[in-house]
Amino acid sequence: MSVTEEIRNRLEQAFRPTLLEVVDDSERHRGHAGYREGGESHFNVTIRAAAFAGMSRIERHRAVHAALGKDLVGRIHALALDIGA
Amino acid sequence: MTDMKDRIRETIEGNDVVLYMKGTKTMPQCGFSSRVAGVLNYMGVEYQDVNVLADEEIRQGIKEFSDWPTIPQLYVKGEFVGGCDIVTEMTLSGELDELFDKKGVAYSKEAAEKIREANA
């Protein structure tokens, strides 16, 4: 399974989002620190789910980090998150 | 780790605003760190930069301390504010101004408005 699919699966299961976009943005970072041949190092995630209502910004980010898991987060060089209810 | 935690606590309690970042405020070495440092520089905020690339122990230590897996990390008056996404969102929404007002941190309101105008 690609990292993109793995991110998508874990977030779908955890939050049942109404909107979920997982974009591998690695190419834009070619030559920068953390870039790997084949991509899958830099991701932009946009997610909307009712589960985030009432959470602070930090809580939302922590919830996403927790759903992805330490192992997966550790393998990603950069993760830009746009989280909303 | 206890020593590390003490060191981090000393830094964030001894400085009103601290940015844990890759590189330095004058020479950031990562786009995300650069963005946050850029906002603080532009808004004329006085802050302590800590280059995690210069110290692997701090790089791991701050992630555990904040329970936050990524760099940069912004602290204001000892309180964790967030990383690049959160600081960017708060800058554009005006929440960062409110936080600085509340915590008594000096910054240029005019510069903050200019950032918002440019990103409107």
Side-chain angles (χ1 to χ4, degrees):
Chain A
M1 200 192 306
S2 71
V3 177
T4 307
E5 284 169 330
E6 221 171 310
I7 293 174
R8 177 168 274 288
N9 286 350
R10 291 192 193 185
L11 295 179
E12 293 240 350
Q13 278 175 16
F15 303 109
R16 304 187 170 278
T18 50
L19 169 75
L20 178 60
E21 284 171 12
V22 180
V23 178
D24 179 350
D25 195 34
S26 307
E27 270 313 303
R28 223 164 47 83
H29 298 267
R30 181 176 279 277
H32 295 188
Y35 176 79
R36 282 189 302 258
E37 205 54 51
E40 300 226 303
S41 55
H42 295 68
F43 290 91
N44 297 339
V45 172
T46 306
I47 184 168
R48 296 289 177 271
F52 297 119
M55 287 189 193
S56 71
R57 291 186 195 281
I58 289 179
E59 286 165 348
R60 288 175 177 185
H61 279 249
R62 285 213 169 105
V64 168
H65 296 153
L68 294 175
K70 267 208 162 95
D71 172 58
L72 185 56
V73 171
R75 274 187 286 149
I76 302 168
H77 177 73
L79 179 64
L81 296 174
D82 176 353
I83 310 171
Chain B
M1 190 57 208
T2 314
D3 285 359
M4 176 53 57
K5 278 189 176 158
D6 287 343
R7 273 177 67 195
I8 292 171
R9 209 167 277 129
E10 256 171 48
T11 306
I12 62 171
E13 284 171 5
N15 299 277
D16 283 354
V17 182
V18 182
L19 181 63
Y20 287 87
M21 64 183 292
K22 292 182 180 172
T24 61
K25 63 166 104 175
T26 49
M27 202 177 283
Q29 293 185 48
C30 156
F32 302 98
S33 290
S34 176
R35 199 194 302 172
V36 177
V39 164
L40 297 177
N41 293 344
Y42 191 72
M43 286 171 66
V45 175
E46 210 173 288
Y47 66 102
Q48 176 68 53
D49 51 342
V50 179
N51 179 7
V52 303
L53 296 180
D55 189 332
E56 184 60 28
E57 262 185 63
I58 285 200
R59 185 175 181 173
Q60 289 313 316
I62 191 64
K63 291 180 183 180
E64 286 174 38
F65 185 88
S66 311
D67 184 24
W68 197 261
T70 51
I71 308 289
Q73 296 186 12
L74 179 67
Y75 276 83
V76 175
K77 295 266 171 145
E79 190 183 305
F80 179 55
V81 177
C84 179
D85 296 320
I86 289 182
V87 173
T88 303
E89 287 168 16
M90 289 177 72
T91 305
L92 297 181
S93 70
E95 285 163 273
L96 192 64
D97 303 34
E98 285 168 26
L99 179 72
F100 286 155
D101 286 336
K102 201 173 80 185
K103 302 278 190 182
V105 173
Y107 69 98
S108 161
K109 186 94 187 162
E110 197 187 330
E113 293 294 351
K114 274 191 187 156
I115 295 175
R116 285 190 280 277
E117 275 167 32
N119 288 279

